Amino acid sequence: MSARFDGFWSAQRNALRLDRGWLYARNDADWLYLFVDLTADTGPDRGSGRDYLSLVFDVDGNGRITQDRDIAYGMYRDSIRLGLQRFHGPGRFTGLQPTRAKLAAGFGPSAASQRPHRVWELAIPLAEIGAKAGGGVRLGLRLHSADPQFTEERPPGLHSDFANLLRIQLAGPPMIMSVITARPDLAMPQSQRPRIGAIVGRVDSSVLRRLQPRVVLVPGDAGPSPDCPLPEGEPVDRRIAEGGFVELVYANRSSKRRGQGGWTVYCPDGSEAPIRALFSTQIPPTLPPTLPDGATAEWLDYHGNRLLGIITGLVGDPDMVQRYLDSEGEDWSIYRRIQGRGDTINYLVAE
């Protein structure tokens, strides 16, 4: 098995820039998929025991290393295979243990560089890292190249300090599908869900579009500060702000607002937090070109009103619901209204 940059990853609209390459990420309901495009590693070695990588995950999300809770993934010696380790403290771990996580290594060109180079592809079970679709993940990675020789850590000291780990906002489930497509026989078959390409098969872009895969990567270099703590834990309030944008408020009075394509984080005083979020990589589905009529139009209108009822139940404030309705364009078709209301529900229950 080998990793390669193919259609599964080429649909990504943006990625996180590393010092010596790029990091791509996607997810579905059960897995986090990572693609490390290490463009600076141009030495054509086998990658077994020479080139290697390791990852750490802040499972409880508290920004500190928690004994027997937080985990790391490392490679077995002379094998392209991952093992799981539990932290015993800063820089201290258990030995490698069995894991469901999968790893593949490859060497070749990618969209970032046509010169052949090392690539890594991973599939991490969300259950192992205490995450769920729509929630957040804090992670770090260490990449080593034997030829040319270098080691990159993002962030530096990731095995002893979790304060500045990278942050990933996972895609939530496509709520509109779960509301409208309630019959089990209409649900997407297990075999059509996105899967890591080099390890368990290939998926075409049409499947990815139907599942609306998307992710937001947030570099954690700035880190939280006493004056501007970052969102943590479950939201204590879910609102619809002016313009129809969803806003999530947290116990420490920080907040996140969903704008056009991504989340913006705000400090408790209302100022924008000094971190940068890459926008969503979702490929929007194409709306039907013709308007429905008759029973079809009535059916769609009924379900559109049901979605509005869900929004009302989530925010519990008629004025906020009116703000959302005011944001719907007068020229929106019933398809566009259903899409917008489904997205709003998805954002309201993102965490």
Side-chain angles (χ1 to χ4, degrees), residues 14 215-217 258-264 277-282:
N14 45 37
V215 68
V216 179
L217 290 155
R258 179 76 188 194
Q260 295 295 332
W263 294 93
T264 302
L278 299 182
F279 279 1
S280 162
T281 60
Q282 177 180 0

Side-chain angles (χ1 to χ4, degrees), residues 3-278:
R4 62 189 176 95
F5 192 93
D6 61 4
F8 185 85
W9 297 109
S10 60
Q12 290 288 92
R13 299 278 177 90
N14 45 37
L16 181 66
R17 186 70 166 97
L18 304 173
D19 291 339
R20 293 176 172 86
W22 298 85
L23 172 64
Y24 297 80
R26 305 191 84 125
N27 73 280
D28 61 18
D30 301 306
W31 296 85
L32 169 64
Y33 308 102
L34 300 172
F35 187 90
V36 183
D37 196 14
L38 206 56
T39 53
D41 183 0
T42 54
D45 54 80
R46 292 173 177 268
S48 177
R50 301 186 64 201
D51 292 350
Y52 66 83
L53 60 74
S54 62
L55 299 94
V56 301
F57 286 90
D58 185 4
V59 175
D60 53 13
N62 63 0
R64 299 182 298 275
I65 293 176
T66 305
Q67 181 175 345
D68 296 327
R69 177 68 172 155
D70 296 327
I71 63 174
Y73 291 96
M75 291 174 58
Y76 286 94
R77 185 180 298 274
D78 297 324
S79 174
I80 306 298
R81 188 163 59 96
L82 287 178
L84 182 149
Q85 298 174 285
R86 298 196 178 276
F87 276 89
H88 279 176
R92 297 187 295 115
F93 321 88
T94 64
L96 291 173
Q97 303 171 6
T99 174
R100 294 172 57 217
K102 300 177 177 68
L103 172 68
F107 195 85
S110 70
S113 174
Q114 290 303 301
R115 183 179 180 182
H117 55 270
R118 168 69 57 223
V119 294
W120 300 100
E121 197 173 13
L122 304 96
I124 307 294
L126 295 182
E128 282 191 359
I129 58 176
K132 62 181 180 180
V137 171
R138 303 182 77 248
L139 79 158
L141 71 162
R142 188 174 197 261
L143 305 163
H144 176 78
S145 166
D147 178 23
Q149 189 166 6
F150 65 80
T151 301
E152 177 173 352
E153 292 188 344
R154 289 296 300 266
L158 69 155
H159 292 102
S160 58
D161 186 358
F162 278 7
N164 295 317
L165 294 184
L166 302 175
R167 297 166 183 267
I168 294 181
Q169 177 64 47
L170 300 176
M175 292 296 297
I176 186 170
M177 296 300 294
S178 65
V179 172
I180 294 180
T181 310
R183 289 170 49 192
D185 57 312
L186 295 181
M188 180 169 289
Q190 178 80 10
S191 61
Q192 292 185 9
R193 294 173 54 184
R195 297 174 296 180
I196 189 163
I199 293 174
V200 288
R202 300 281 162 191
V203 233
D204 62 37
S205 59
S206 65
V207 173
L208 296 178
R209 281 195 290 272
R210 288 202 298 273
L211 282 189
Q212 306 178 38
R214 56 195 184 278
V215 68
V216 179
L217 290 155
V218 184
D221 295 342
S225 71
D227 297 328
C228 185
L230 300 181
E232 188 174 273
E234 294 284 332
V236 297
D237 197 9
R238 305 171 194 268
R239 305 172 179 170
I240 296 179
E242 293 296 335
F245 298 119
V246 169
E247 184 176 29
L248 304 179
V249 183
Y250 296 79
N252 60 13
R253 296 186 295 114
S254 64
S255 63
K256 293 195 309 187
R257 181 174 296 183
R258 179 76 188 194
Q260 295 295 332
W263 294 93
T264 302
V265 180
Y266 293 92
C267 305
D269 64 3
S271 61
E272 190 170 330
I275 63 174
R276 177 174 63 88
L278 299 182

